[in-house]
């Protein structure tokens, strides 16, 4: 686990197609495209001042939990979401058929 940002509120801003976390007046986001039965995560952005505090992991966890609640298949185009699922196999079932964590990178490209 090791995530530090355990008490942040992850909010789904459906109008902007992104999950959001606001910390100290700064906004971190996980952008997505919603399909009929899937959600494609495209980009996760955390301001530099918030890096290293587990904000991106909190966003990923909140977004993936929301996908599970809505019974959506996850398409992780975002390298951070790919790496998060690889490190947290409890979310691998969201990838749907034909995908598995063995094909996902262990660390995001930066």
């Amino acid at each position: 686990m090791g995530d530090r940002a355990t008490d942040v509120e992850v909010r789904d801003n459906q109008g902007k197609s992104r999950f959001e976390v606001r910390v100290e007046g700064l906004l971190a986001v996980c952008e997505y495209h919603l399909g009929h039965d899937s959600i494609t995560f495209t980009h996760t952005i955390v301001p530099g001042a918030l890096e290293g505090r587990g904000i991106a992991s909190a966003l990923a966890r909140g977004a993936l939990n929301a996908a599970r609640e809505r019974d959506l298949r996850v398409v992780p185009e975002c390298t951070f979401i790919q790496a998060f699922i690889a490190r947290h196999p409890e979310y691998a079932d969201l990838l749907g058929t034909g995908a598995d964590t063995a094909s996902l990178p262990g660390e995001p490209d930066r």
Side-chain angles (χ1 to χ4, degrees):
M1 303 298 185
D3 297 335
R4 288 165 277 215
T6 56
D7 61 345
V8 296
E9 179 184 347
V10 177
R11 179 178 164 290
D12 184 3
N13 184 337
Q14 293 180 3
K16 293 191 176 182
S17 297
R18 66 188 189 191
F19 287 89
E20 302 175 337
V21 169
R22 191 169 297 276
V23 177
E24 298 170 4
L26 300 173
L27 184 66
V29 299
C30 179
E31 299 171 343
Y32 65 83
H33 295 292
L34 193 59
H36 174 71
D37 63 352
S38 66
I39 186 167
T40 301
F41 294 108
T42 58
H43 204 58
T44 301
I45 304 166
V46 176
L50 299 178
E51 287 182 359
R53 294 168 59 179
I55 303 298
S57 291
L59 269 170
R61 186 170 282 107
L64 292 168
N65 287 341
R68 185 180 308 284
E69 289 171 9
R70 297 176 193 163
D71 199 29
L72 295 172
R73 183 177 56 84
V74 169
V75 180
E77 289 181 0
C78 170
T79 56
F80 183 83
I81 298 295
Q82 291 173 3
F84 185 87
I85 293 171
R87 288 190 315 271
H88 299 274
E90 64 270 24
Y91 292 107
D93 64 301
L94 296 174
L95 296 174
T97 58
D100 62 75
T101 56
S103 65
L104 298 176
E107 294 297 322
D109 298 330
R110 298 242 176 209

